Amino acid sequence: MTHPWMRTALPIAALIALTGCSTSTPSSSTSGMIDLTPAKEPTELGSSSTTTVNTETVNTSIQVNDSGKVQAFMMRGMVTLGHESNSIQPCGSTQQYWLTTAISDRSALKKITPNGYQAMYAEMIGFLELAPEEGFAANYDGRFTVKQINMISAEMSGGCKQQPHTTRAFGNEPGWATEIKNKQVTLIQMGKERQNQAITSTSSISGKQQYTGKDFSLTLTKAQCNDTMSDALFGWQSTLEWQGKQFKGCATIGATDVTLNWIGEYQSSAQAAQNTGLTTTLVLKPDHSATTTYAYTNGDNSLVETGFWQQANQNTVQVMMTRHQGRRLNGERLFTLNGKTLITTEEVVNGHAYSLGRDGLRLEKQ
């Protein structure tokens, strides 16, 4: 049995519309539908916590790639899985990245993957790397390596049309759902009034997030969780203790990419153009693609490099150029943010470091 409203409504589907969640054996479905229309109240994003974790988005900064240089981030998009194509296309973009999933997830993914390279909506936490030089992946600008699946569904074709959701937990027997928003948690149950409680403390350690209040405790544990009523897979199991009652089910953490403050156009100054004979423009896009354009003041044709970007820490961004005029390139720059200016003093090309001069490369946000 599948839920017809799953195919277009991410906020509904990710909440109690997916009431057939199971962490082991399939469970029976819950009859009827619960109204998940958000209450008409002012919204204000914020964190109510005794720790530094945001109550509505995952703290991905504790996850780094194997080199330790960059932080993992949330990517939402349409995923295609098959023998010749394992890719993710970020929401609202034509960019595609080769996709590498954990071996431990592949069996579960295979069970929900439709035939014929049909795209599935997904939310995945990971980081970008250079694509391999050979094989099907060689034609991509980068490879997205998944550290954790937040959710993936073969039925939510309209997932990218929705805004990123907040942290949610949901299950069945009886049908229930919780949503974390506005420094509080809301419990929704079949045939009952919504119940709200303030979040008084939160904690986040490797593989576990916990939210507590006066009379509730919600724990999210990193583990596969299957929806038995649809072709969906979640990356979190949930346990809710609410006024003496216990509920178990699946969960999804907030799907916002918290590193998007870097996006924009950055350009070298007119004085730099006068000194060097060129203007350098760097564009960082929401889909994590990056373009560097070198425009010469003498009228020569501009040179264009393409690649990707990702956050290294709050003040540093990694920019990888993987194509130069369409040809393969391995060029890395680590920019530090000073006010509105990106600054770097060296570039690493094919493993060799090159100085960018005493003043380095300085690009001001436009």
Side-chain angles (χ1 to χ4, degrees), residues 48 183-185 196-202 210-219 240-243:
S48 176
K183 304 179 183 181
Q184 68 178 13
V185 60
N196 300 314
Q197 288 199 53
I199 298 171
T200 58
S201 66
T202 68
Q210 188 168 40
Y211 307 84
T212 56
K214 181 179 179 180
D215 202 13
F216 87 92
S217 173
L218 175 62
T219 301
L240 173 66
E241 302 282 349
W242 187 280
Q243 298 177 351

Side-chain angles (χ1 to χ4, degrees), residues 120-167:
M120 300 180 287
Y121 173 75
E123 300 165 0
M124 296 182 166
I125 301 168
F127 52 87
L128 287 163
E129 299 178 295
L130 286 174
E133 294 186 26
E134 299 179 351
F136 297 118
N139 293 324
Y140 291 77
D141 282 342
R143 171 175 60 188
F144 188 71
T145 298
V146 179
K147 298 288 286 187
Q148 183 181 352
I149 295 172
N150 193 38
M151 72 160 293
I152 182 168
S153 171
E155 299 186 350
M156 293 175 58
S157 59
C160 277
K161 298 178 182 179
Q162 306 295 331
Q163 292 297 313
H165 60 79
T166 58
T167 296

Side-chain angles (χ1 to χ4, degrees), residues 25-297:
T25 57
S27 55
S28 59
S29 63
T30 304
S31 60
M33 186 194 308
I34 293 179
D35 178 17
L36 299 179
T37 304
K40 294 183 179 180
E41 298 175 354
T43 59
E44 178 183 353
L45 297 181
S47 172
S48 176
S49 167
T50 58
T51 65
T52 58
V53 65
N54 189 295
T55 60
E56 299 181 11
T57 58
V58 63
N59 180 10
T60 57
S61 63
I62 60 174
Q63 302 186 48
V64 296
N65 71 347
D66 294 337
S67 69
K69 285 185 178 180
V70 299
Q71 298 175 355
F73 60 92
M74 181 75 74
M75 181 175 285
R76 301 171 59 237
M78 301 305 293
V79 165
T80 302
L81 299 177
H83 173 62
E84 298 181 359
S85 176
N86 287 275
S87 64
I88 182 168
Q89 181 173 324
C91 290
S93 171
T94 58
Q95 176 72 35
Q96 290 186 332
Y97 299 105
W98 186 260
L99 189 70
T100 300
T101 56
I103 295 176
S104 58
D105 289 330
R106 292 177 188 175
S107 176
L109 287 171
K110 186 176 181 180
K111 292 179 181 178
I112 68 167
T113 300
N115 296 324
Y117 294 97
Q118 179 181 330
M120 300 180 287
Y121 173 75
E123 300 165 0
M124 296 182 166
I125 301 168
F127 52 87
L128 287 163
E129 299 178 295
L130 286 174
E133 294 186 26
E134 299 179 351
F136 297 118
N139 293 324
Y140 291 77
D141 282 342
R143 171 175 60 188
F144 188 71
T145 298
V146 179
K147 298 288 286 187
Q148 183 181 352
I149 295 172
N150 193 38
M151 72 160 293
I152 182 168
S153 171
E155 299 186 350
M156 293 175 58
S157 59
C160 277
K161 298 178 182 179
Q162 306 295 331
Q163 292 297 313
H165 60 79
T166 58
T167 296
R168 294 161 174 179
F170 40 88
N172 66 340
E173 298 181 7
W176 66 277
T178 61
E179 180 175 25
I180 293 174
K181 194 172 184 180
N182 301 338
K183 304 179 183 181
Q184 68 178 13
V185 60
T186 300
L187 174 63
I188 307 169
Q189 296 182 83
M190 185 85 62
K192 296 184 179 181
E193 294 289 331
R194 292 170 180 257
Q195 299 180 64
N196 300 314
Q197 288 199 53
I199 298 171
T200 58
S201 66
T202 68
S203 65
S204 178
I205 59 176
S206 181
K208 181 174 290 188
Q209 295 196 34
Q210 188 168 40
Y211 307 84
T212 56
K214 181 179 179 180
D215 202 13
F216 87 92
S217 173
L218 175 62
T219 301
L220 310 184
T221 304
K222 180 181 176 182
Q224 286 183 6
C225 196
N226 300 100
D227 173 33
T228 59
M229 296 179 67
S230 65
D231 293 330
L233 176 68
F234 304 95
W236 297 82
Q237 297 177 7
S238 62
T239 300
L240 173 66
E241 302 282 349
W242 187 280
Q243 298 177 351
K245 296 182 179 180
Q246 185 180 82
F247 305 85
K248 287 184 176 291
C250 299
T252 57
I253 57 176
T256 298
D257 179 357
V258 297
T259 70
L260 293 183
N261 55 294
W262 293 99
I263 64 174
E265 179 178 310
Y266 302 81
Q267 193 173 83
S268 57
S269 66
Q271 182 63 48
Q274 183 177 350
N275 294 339
T276 62
L278 62 83
T279 298
T280 302
T281 303
L282 172 66
V283 178
L284 306 181
K285 297 182 179 180
D287 59 9
H288 283 262
S289 65
T291 302
T292 304
T293 304
Y294 305 97
Y296 292 91
T297 57

